[in-house]
Amino acid sequence: MRTKLTPVKFPNKPAFFKPLTVIVNSRILMIGMRNRQAKDTWRYAGTAYMNLFTLPSSTSLFAAGVETARQDLRLGTLTLIQFPELQLYPYYVEVRVPPWHQEMLVEVWQYSGDEVDVIKTSIDEIKSTLNNL
């Protein structure tokens, strides 16, 4: 997904970016951020937040949207993100851009292949070898 964000401006109020919300089905993402108007010394582009569509109880007073993890995003590059494996899909990612930017091009890619847990696979192989001794 690719989109260009611009700040919302109101008279006599500071400009701000509405958060970009993307529904995803993978804990592995890449997010790219680019601002052609950014100064050469700027590195910070924003933050990505993992939010779950869940509540602890049906009687909760809060909206379903439990913030679970976050990742800072850099300007001019893709950031690889591995959010925690919680087995609660889909969830939504909220990308927030700080107000000093005047525009932001955002790309969000989600991994759609099979995930292989290398550590678990290695432990299973060791167990299998020990059982066969």
Side-chain angles (χ1 to χ4, degrees), residues 25-43:
N25 287 301
S26 174
R27 69 186 190 98
I28 301 173
L29 307 171
M30 277 198 294
I31 300 179
M33 308 282 281
R34 185 175 69 196
N35 175 357
R36 286 175 275 175
Q37 299 175 8
K39 296 180 181 179
D40 291 340
T41 56
W42 292 0
R43 299 290 176 257

Side-chain angles (χ1 to χ4, degrees), residues 27-99:
R27 69 186 190 98
I28 301 173
L29 307 171
M30 277 198 294
I31 300 179
M33 308 282 281
R34 185 175 69 196
N35 175 357
R36 286 175 275 175
Q37 299 175 8
K39 296 180 181 179
D40 291 340
T41 56
W42 292 0
R43 299 290 176 257
Y44 179 69
T47 304
Y49 296 85
M50 177 188 200
N51 295 282
L52 305 177
F53 290 113
T54 190
L55 289 173
S57 164
S58 62
T59 61
S60 176
L61 299 176
F62 295 93
V66 178
E67 184 180 307
T68 307
R70 70 179 81 181
Q71 173 71 50
D72 286 342
L73 305 168
R74 291 183 49 121
L75 272 173
T77 187
L78 289 167
T79 302
L80 177 64
I81 301 170
Q82 277 191 310
F83 283 131
E85 179 57 68
L86 300 173
Q87 298 292 327
L88 292 170
Y89 297 110
Y91 66 93
Y92 68 97
V93 172
E94 190 174 87
V95 177
R96 297 183 198 160
V97 177

Side-chain angles (χ1 to χ4, degrees), residues 5 10 27 38 52 54 56 59 74 80 88 102-103 114 116-117 119 121 124:
L5 303 177
F10 292 105
R27 69 186 190 98
L52 305 177
T54 190
T59 61
R74 291 183 49 121
L80 177 64
L88 292 170
Q102 293 302 308
E103 68 175 31
D114 292 332
V116 177
D117 185 340
I119 294 172
T121 303
D124 289 345

